[in-house]
């Protein structure tokens, strides 16, 4: 019998559906949930609050070492994130914080410091982890690794809808450009680029409803869980 805490990794670019799919899966399974993008956003936010420039890597690494982030899944929207016990509301979800997070995420020393913050979320009975490098770097021994994709156009439309629903004033053409620029930076960076793990299953969600994606992911997970438990 394995004593390993099972992990379901959902990686992919912004707007691929990983957040919504991850939160529904976590709720169905009764597992912990990690929104790793929110962890980078939380660092960007706490640096801004402390008046520290994101380019000041030494200070950012120190700040990361003290960061305690909790994610509570909300299948109807973005996960609720608290930093060092304080709820952040919508403040983490702005494009400005997303940009700062992406800059921080391209720095290898920051990524190293964030490994411990993310791995602390692996607690029984299991963890659903969503991000860019969950399967390649953070949880290489995961039970199942899924890589979600969708065309940039559909991803920009999904982000637009999400942000509008949250009351943000956004422009679709601008969002499309931001998404393409951020994808390029996330995919080209040397430290943990946005690429599928060798053993990941890739799912294109462009023409799929969320419920279909959730069913496919859970169908793939069940036999692996049985196998892992028997090991
Ligand atoms: O998914 P998001 O938009 O909340 O992520 C914010 C930024 O953090 C994004 O530009 C990429 C980065 N990120 C990362 O590099 N690795 C992760 N595991 C999660 C997010």
């Amino acid at each position: 019998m394995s004593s390993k805490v099972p992990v379901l990794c959902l990686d992919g670019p912004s707007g691929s559906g990983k957040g919504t799919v991850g939160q529904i899966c976590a709720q169905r399974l009764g597992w912990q949930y990690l929104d790793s993008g929110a962890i980078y956003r939380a660092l960007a936010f706490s640096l801004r609050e402390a008046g520290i420039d994101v380019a000041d890597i030494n200070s950012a690494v120190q700040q990361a070492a003290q960061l305690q982030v909790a994610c509570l899944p909300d299948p109807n929207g973005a996960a609720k994130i608290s930093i060092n016990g304080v709820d952040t509301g919508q403040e983490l979800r702005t494009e400005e914080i997303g940009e700062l997070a992406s800059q921080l995420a391209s720095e290898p020393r920051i990524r190293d410091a964030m490994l411990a913050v993310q791995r602390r979320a692996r607690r029984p009975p299991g963890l659903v982890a969503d991000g860019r490098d969950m399967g390649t770097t953070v949880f290489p021994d995961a039970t199942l690794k899924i890589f979600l994709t969708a065309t940039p156009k559909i991803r920009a439309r999904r982000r637009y809808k999400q942000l509008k629903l949250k009351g943000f004033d956004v422009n679709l053409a601008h969002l499309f450009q931001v998404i393409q620029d951020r994808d390029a930076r996330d995919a080209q960076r040397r430290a943990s680029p946005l690429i599928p793990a060798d053993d990941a299953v890739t799912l294109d969600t462009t023409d799929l409803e969320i419920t279909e994606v959730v069913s496919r992911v859970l169908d793939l997970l069940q036999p692996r869980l049985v196998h892992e438990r028997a090991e």
Side-chain angles (χ1 to χ4, degrees):
M1 283 286 276
S2 169
S3 57
K4 212 167 82 171
V5 174
V7 181
L8 164 61
C9 295
L10 295 167
D11 287 304
S14 163
S16 57
K18 59 190 163 45
T20 313
V21 171
Q23 291 177 80
I24 297 174
C25 287
Q27 219 190 30
R28 293 252 189 104
L29 294 160
W31 286 9
Q32 318 287 341
Y33 171 66
L34 171 70
D35 174 352
S36 62
I39 307 272
Y40 284 91
R41 286 173 183 264
L43 179 61
F45 180 77
S46 64
L47 289 173
R48 203 187 55 179
E49 292 290 282
I52 299 169
D53 194 316
V54 292
D56 178 355
I57 303 301
N58 286 336
S59 301
V61 166
Q62 271 179 15
Q63 191 88 357
Q66 295 158 13
L67 199 65
Q68 295 278 352
V69 186
C71 307
L72 207 65
D74 176 2
N76 299 315
K80 294 193 173 34
I81 312 294
S82 62
I83 305 175
N84 301 332
V86 180
D87 255 358
T88 56
Q90 298 299 329
E91 289 161 299
L92 292 191
R93 303 294 169 187
T94 63
E95 287 304 305
E96 183 212 343
I97 292 291
E99 274 306 299
L100 293 175
S102 177
Q103 285 174 41
L104 286 166
S106 64
E107 172 56 48
R109 286 174 56 209
I110 303 271
R111 300 199 75 85
D112 272 355
M114 295 298 249
L115 282 177
V117 184
Q118 297 170 92
R119 287 179 178 154
R120 274 202 288 272
R122 186 174 191 172
R123 296 190 305 274
L127 173 70
V128 177
D130 97 44
R132 309 292 200 285
D133 61 343
M134 299 298 96
T136 52
T137 311
V138 184
F139 302 109
D141 64 338
T143 314
L144 175 64
K145 301 173 186 177
I146 301 280
F147 194 83
L148 296 178
T149 60
T151 60
K153 212 166 163 184
I154 190 90
R155 291 192 287 113
R157 258 197 241 132
R158 287 175 184 166
R159 281 292 289 158
Y160 177 81
K161 268 202 214 156
Q162 275 176 352
L163 291 169
K164 272 273 180 205
L165 269 177
K166 287 176 198 145
F168 290 114
D169 182 19
V170 276
N171 170 291
L172 184 59
H174 172 69
L175 213 50
F176 182 66
Q177 193 54 51
V178 167
I179 279 193
Q180 286 204 308
D181 292 349
R182 196 181 304 164
D183 281 357
R185 182 162 59 218
D186 291 341
Q188 284 159 19
R189 66 172 177 235
R190 271 186 297 134
S192 290
L194 173 64
I195 45 163
D198 288 341
D199 50 351
V201 178
T202 298
L203 279 181
D204 185 341
T205 69
T206 305
D207 299 315
L208 292 179
E209 296 290 336
I210 289 292
T211 50
E212 287 177 281
V213 184
V214 170
S215 305
R216 287 194 197 192
V217 170
L218 293 179
D219 284 352
L220 286 164
L221 180 67
Q222 284 315 326
R224 298 217 187 183
L225 271 181
V226 171
H227 184 261
E228 198 171 74
R229 279 178 191 142
E231 266 179 358

